[in-house]
Amino acid sequence: MADSRTPYQHLEKLIALGTGEEFTEAVRDAKARYFRAAGEVFEDDPFFEPRMNCFLEYYLFDYPAGPGGKSTTALVIERGKATLTPDELVAFAGFDRSIHSVFELKKKAGDLLHVSNLYDGEAYEVFERRTLAGLDKSDIFEARLLPFGDRLHFSNAFVFHPKEVKKFVVAELKTFKEQGEPKPTAVVHRLAYLRLKFERFRRVDAAKIYSRETMGQIETEQKRDLTAVKGKD
């Protein structure tokens, strides 16, 4: 029998399991890491909920929660083999192969969105029935693609970047990839930090915020904060 639940219902269940009491310390550590990397937000920020979605998905799929860097999702699967349904096990395993990057929307065709991964140039078709406010052709955005069934779906986490800074974003992704990094997580988070600065300083031109100078400041801040954290251990 085909799975009657949507990927978002499965994702909700995964979040509930992965943030249970046994994961309290991991959630706390992952939250500190994520917001140190992507910039701190506050509950009264208009973008608070989207950034929390980004954090939760980082925690589920990218945070090294177990031995050998196992994700939180992998641990949920391991510990739930006797209690999770076959549909849940399949869905969670698919989610753990998610593709997280910065994408450009190339074309809309009904429920199919054609996107290009700006990190490695790969093209994808994404099945999306939801109405995503403001998503237009040529938009540049951080997103996560979730394998589910025989299709890819967007998750609930997005960070949109100004179209006019595409050249800078592509250059940063290219530089990071040339360092031999298989996944763009770290640079995607730094770009999200730039977007946060842009939100806070709306009167400043995007090109002045999305710059090597600002990126260098962020990298210096992160190194200093990380050194301070290690000093407390």
Side-chain angles (χ1 to χ4, degrees):
M1 183 181 294
D3 191 341
S4 61
R5 283 174 288 181
T6 69
Y8 309 106
Q9 289 171 319
H10 282 297
L11 182 58
E12 188 175 331
K13 174 71 175 288
L14 177 58
I15 291 171
L17 292 171
T19 56
E21 188 174 349
E22 65 184 300
F23 291 101
T24 299
E25 287 300 320
V27 171
R28 185 180 295 115
D29 181 60
K31 184 178 287 188
R33 291 193 191 199
Y34 176 77
F35 288 108
R36 186 164 58 242
E40 187 176 2
V41 296
F42 307 98
E43 289 188 18
D44 58 350
D45 284 329
F47 42 83
F48 177 76
E49 185 174 342
R51 284 304 177 99
M52 286 302 294
N53 286 338
C54 290
F55 153 64
L56 284 170
E57 293 182 12
Y58 159 75
Y59 165 68
L60 289 174
F61 306 121
D62 299 319
Y63 172 71
K70 282 185 181 178
S71 69
T72 303
T73 298
L75 294 183
V76 169
I77 292 171
E78 282 185 3
R79 298 173 186 181
K81 284 182 178 178
T83 55
L84 295 171
T85 68
D87 284 345
E88 288 168 343
L89 289 169
V90 170
F92 295 172
F95 293 169
D96 209 28
R97 300 192 302 273
S98 66
I99 303 161
H100 177 231
S101 189
V102 177
F103 300 90
E104 180 179 8
L105 179 59
K106 292 294 189 179
K107 183 175 70 172
K108 287 183 179 180
D111 291 333
L112 285 180
L113 302 182
H114 298 256
V115 301
S116 174
N117 185 339
L118 295 181
Y119 188 62
D120 59 16
E122 288 290 329
Y124 298 98
E125 284 187 350
V126 184
F127 184 72
E128 182 56 73
R129 281 183 170 170
R130 299 173 298 176
T131 301
L132 300 176
L135 186 58
D136 297 311
K137 184 179 178 181
S138 301
D139 276 348
I140 308 285
F141 55 97
E142 173 190 341
R144 188 179 297 272
L145 309 185
L146 299 176
F148 182 74
D150 59 354
R151 289 169 166 165
L152 291 172
H153 301 254
F154 284 126
S155 70
N156 293 322
F158 296 90
V159 175
F160 288 87
H161 298 288
K163 291 181 182 180
E164 60 266 32
V165 300
K166 176 185 174 181
K167 185 176 180 180
F168 173 81
V169 169
V170 170
E172 288 298 307
L173 291 167
K174 180 181 178 181
T175 298
F176 192 74
K177 192 172 192 303
E178 287 174 348
Q179 295 171 10
E181 297 291 343
K183 295 173 65 175
T185 305
V187 68
V188 169
H189 287 170
R190 287 198 288 271
L191 291 168
Y193 205 147
L194 293 182
R195 175 65 199 197
L196 184 62
K197 286 182 177 290
F198 180 62
E199 291 284 356
R200 301 214 187 281
F201 302 102
R202 278 291 188 171
R203 294 184 180 181
V204 180
D205 186 79
K208 291 185 177 180
I209 292 178
Y210 282 78
S211 66
R212 258 283 90 215
E213 181 181 1
T214 309
M215 189 69 97
Q217 292 171 356
I218 289 173
E219 291 166 356
T220 299
E221 290 172 8
Q222 291 173 341
K223 288 177 182 177
R224 184 182 63 239
D225 291 345
L226 188 58
T227 299
V229 170
K230 289 181 177 178
K232 293 178 182 178
D233 293 340

